[in-house]
Amino acid sequence: MPGTSKNLGGVALVGSGSATPNQRLTNDQLSLRVDTNDAWIRSRTGIGARRVIGSDETLVELSQRAGSLAIQRAGWDPTSVDLVLLATSTPDDLFGSAPKVQALLGAKQAVAFDLTAACSGFLFALVTASQFLRTGAMRRALVIGADQLSRWVDWDDRRSCVLFGDGAGAIALESTSLVQNGLLDFQLKTDGSRGDCLNLPQLNATSPLVAGATYQQGGFSPIQMNGQEVYKFAVREVPAILETLLKANQVDPESLDWLLLHQANQRILDAVADRFEVSYQKVLSNLADYGNTSAATIPLMLDEAVQDGRVQPGHLIASSGFGAGLSWGAALFRWQGAT
Ligand code: UT7
């Protein structure tokens, strides 16, 4: 899907928030469960620890905490929000968790729904929400990326369980004039024919229903991943889509303030930086603390960098998400913050 058409209104990114579970699980702790070690995980992925939702937390609560902070920092009243869009593949409720988040936020006027695009979910949701704002159909949108893959990893599979963690991040988006537009362009891609290397499939459990009829009991198998295939996909497609986006907008990689990539593996971040000859200092990374939080990685990272002052109003950011589907995308935006 190509990017923005130029004859509509603009979108500004005006607030951010994030929330992570209380339980922190280090590599050393994980090595008590599976045959792994801190040195392997750090050198192959850059991950040092991850957060895991325990029995006293839910995805809805994390999403609400992240969303409330974004609304507050944007300077909004919750009742002025028109849309709550929750990007998640791991809702508390398969019918959707966004409505419960909307209620807890007090965003009484907002329509709320979930969007599923795995680790690309936040970027896909950001672009989706921005369409409502650019056409003038809506004025304020809250885009949340949140996942709890800890529920769906096989904690005895060392090839995948070391990678993932739980978390939530949120961005407040506002319609603006085209002159003030902050979401400069985007590209979104899907290739379902290559989707088999990363799945969270339904259980295959057939039961008799009545004579001559069967049904499938609902439920899911743990994550199945061919790590090397996903790695190759990421280091090929992420630079390619970013290059297309930057060229289309005549943006020199040197003029970017930040590269904000889906946090999956530090080696992937470094490979993309090398490809564009962007200094590692300009590549935002919090993998060491949180691992791969799926749809949450980009807003969680952005919020951290906004709060600690690295990302400043006016900064130009190239972002890319990728993951199951296979799906991937990129967006070029300027952070505005509350004015
Ligand atoms: O959002 C997208 C989600 N998915 C991803 O981002 C995954 C992308 N892929 C990757 O990040 C990497 O492929 C991994 C980190 C998953 C694996 O790194 P790798 O360098 O591709 O390792 P490998 O699979 O080639 O395994 C190398 C060795 C193997 O041992 P042998 O066969 O060489 O003896 C594995 O059995 O490392 C072993 N190994 C481990 N050892 C210690 C695999 N996992 C572990 C582990 N601890 N956790």
Side-chain angles (χ1 to χ4, degrees):
M1 185 189 191
T4 49
S5 123
K6 308 292 179 199
N7 58 352
L8 298 168
V11 176
L13 292 85
V14 295
S16 66
S18 60
T20 53
N22 296 322
Q23 286 194 127
R24 183 171 179 272
L25 191 69
T26 64
N27 293 341
D28 285 338
Q29 286 173 291
L30 206 45
S31 71
L32 301 174
R33 166 97 187 201
V34 280
D35 180 16
T36 190
N37 56 76
D38 182 61
W40 190 97
I41 302 172
R42 280 185 195 274
S43 64
R44 299 286 177 126
T45 71
I47 296 167
R50 72 282 299 140
R51 300 297 181 95
V52 175
I53 284 185
S55 53
D56 56 341
E57 293 168 312
T58 66
L59 192 84
V60 164
E61 286 159 13
L62 281 189
S63 301
Q64 181 266 320
R65 277 167 49 204
S68 279
L69 285 168
I71 288 174
Q72 191 188 311
R73 290 173 182 149
W76 296 352
D77 188 299
T79 58
S80 70
V81 178
D82 299 307
L83 170 68
V84 174
L85 188 48
L86 174 63
T88 187
S89 307
T90 52
D92 292 332
D93 184 327
L94 260 191
F95 285 155
S97 284
K100 289 212 172 65
V101 176
Q102 178 252 20
L104 286 175
L105 287 169
K108 290 181 189 148
Q109 306 301 324
V111 63
F113 58 95
D114 292 17
L115 181 152
T116 302
C119 298
S120 308
F122 175 78
L123 217 59
F124 281 32
L126 178 78
V127 170
T128 302
S130 74
Q131 305 313 305
F132 291 107
L133 303 177
R134 298 191 77 220
T135 58
M138 292 181 181
R139 205 166 68 87
R140 288 179 166 171
L142 182 70
V143 181
I144 304 170
D147 265 310
Q148 47 182 350
L149 287 180
S150 66
R151 292 190 180 217
W152 301 108
V153 290
D154 177 352
W155 285 106
D156 295 314
D157 176 8
R158 68 175 185 172
R159 291 166 303 143
S160 58
C161 76
V162 300
L163 301 177
F164 299 107
D166 303 336
I171 302 295
L173 288 181
E174 197 156 52
S175 61
T176 60
S177 67
L178 193 52
V179 178
Q180 290 174 313
N181 182 36
L183 182 56
L184 305 176
D185 206 355
F186 64 84
Q187 293 263 323
L188 304 178
K189 300 269 190 184
T190 301
D191 182 358
S193 72
R194 287 193 276 163
D196 284 348
C197 56
L198 186 50
N199 299 102
L200 205 171
Q202 286 257 13
L203 287 171
N204 192 5
T206 306
S207 301
L209 180 59
V210 291
T214 58
Y215 76 99
Q216 298 272 350
Q217 180 65 53
F220 293 88
S221 302
I223 292 172
Q224 298 165 5
M225 184 182 76
N226 180 333
Q228 290 183 356
E229 281 305 311
V230 177
Y231 188 92
K232 280 190 269 179
F233 149 70
V235 295
R236 188 172 52 237
E237 300 295 0
V238 172
I241 199 168
L242 280 170
E243 183 167 14
T244 305
L245 191 67
L246 296 181
K247 273 201 175 138
N249 291 276
Q250 295 166 345
V251 170
D252 191 320
E254 271 181 27
S255 64
L256 292 172
D257 292 296
W258 301 103
L259 261 183
L260 171 54
L261 308 179
H262 169 50
Q263 309 279 301
N265 187 321
Q266 189 62 44
R267 285 155 55 207
I268 297 175
L269 304 192
D270 293 348
V272 177
D274 290 345
R275 168 72 186 70
F276 291 106
E277 297 180 359
V278 166
S279 122
Y280 290 170
Q281 273 75 42
K282 284 188 172 185
V283 183
L284 293 168
S285 174
N286 61 8
L287 272 160
D289 297 323
Y290 300 114
N292 179 348
T293 55
S294 191
T297 63
I298 291 175
L300 180 61
M301 183 67 254
L302 181 56
D303 182 50
E304 185 180 313
V306 167
Q307 298 319 316
D308 69 21
R310 273 176 290 174
V311 168
Q312 293 284 326
H315 274 185
L316 183 60
I317 300 172
S319 185
S320 180
F322 57 90
L326 295 172
S327 61
W328 65 107
L332 185 64
F333 62 84
R334 280 192 194 281
W335 176 252
Q336 178 169 314
T339 47

